[in-house]
Amino acid sequence: LGRDMLQLGQRLRRSPEQKLVVGGASMGAASAIYAAAHVHADAAAAAPPPSPSPSPSPPSPPVISGLVLVIVPTFHEARERRKGQIVAAAAKGIDAMKDNKRVRPIFKGTAREAEPPQPVGVRDDSFAHVMQGGAESDLPPPDTLRAALAATPTLVLCWDCGDRTHPASSARDLAAIAPHAVVHIAQSLK
């Protein structure tokens, strides 16, 4: 999905020099991170070997000039720990998720307090497949993430609502890897 996002963005640019800001929520956030990793890997593979020339040509501008990531999913060790729970949720089905009455902290004391979690953008007939795919997915390895995000301004948005698949800790963990990340964690609906 990262390559697809990158190709779409490149096709929609008005000129080849126009830089891209890519992003998304949940799987879209992961796809944007993968797009940045692909750009970094492609640039490293295409880089000419260092030359002794006294006036090297200036580096070309990055294709991706920024990321906007919303509700970053768990990754690496946290994803591995969460995997069994995701697989179990897939086996129980979407109705079990809709019947969940656990109050999410961000909604406590609001009109939405009793609102069950909503698998946004997931059809009932594809829920199990999406959950299973999520359980098997992960972000690129830490070294790849560090290299890909080393110079990329990144805005990370999340809310601390008790979502175990997209916890606030994922946003903080990503910020620890990406030196130019700015994280905003909502604690309420205000």
Side-chain angles (χ1 to χ4, degrees):
L1 292 174
R3 281 239 185 253
D4 291 341
M5 181 182 281
L6 187 58
Q7 289 172 356
L8 179 63
Q10 288 174 321
R11 283 192 192 126
L12 295 176
R13 291 188 297 186
R14 293 187 185 127
S15 71
E17 297 80 30
Q18 187 177 14
K19 296 177 186 177
L20 301 174
V21 174
V22 296
S26 188
M27 186 187 304
S31 298
I33 291 168
Y34 265 99
H38 289 311
V39 166
H40 177 75
D42 293 349
S51 70
S53 161
S55 57
S57 59
S60 59
V63 173
I64 294 178
S65 62
L67 298 173
V68 178
L69 309 174
V70 181
I71 61 170
V72 175
T74 54
F75 59 96
H76 301 155
E77 294 86 10
R79 173 58 59 154
E80 193 57 38
R81 287 190 307 270
R82 179 97 175 95
K83 186 176 183 176
Q85 296 166 339
I86 297 170
V87 169
K92 290 178 187 174
I94 197 165
D95 290 334
M97 177 179 264
K98 290 178 179 178
D99 290 341
N100 183 346
K101 300 300 181 204
R102 181 177 52 89
V103 176
R104 293 173 289 165
I106 200 161
F107 295 130
K108 190 174 177 123
T110 73
R112 296 177 68 182
E113 186 171 55
E115 181 179 296
Q118 298 294 317
V120 177
V122 178
R123 294 189 332 250
D124 289 9
D125 63 342
S126 64
F127 176 79
H129 299 290
V130 169
M131 295 296 283
Q132 187 66 43
E136 298 298 326
S137 299
D138 204 349
L139 294 185
D143 290 345
T144 301
L145 279 178
R146 269 188 207 84
L149 304 178
T152 307
T154 304
L155 174 61
V156 184
L157 305 172
C158 74
W159 56 354
D160 195 5
C161 70
D163 181 345
R164 292 174 293 202
T165 302
H166 311 93
S169 60
S170 290
R172 289 189 292 269
D173 291 347
L174 188 63
I177 293 171
H180 299 286
V182 174
V183 176
H184 292 281
I185 300 172
Q187 301 293 329
S188 71
L189 295 176
K190 295 179 182 178

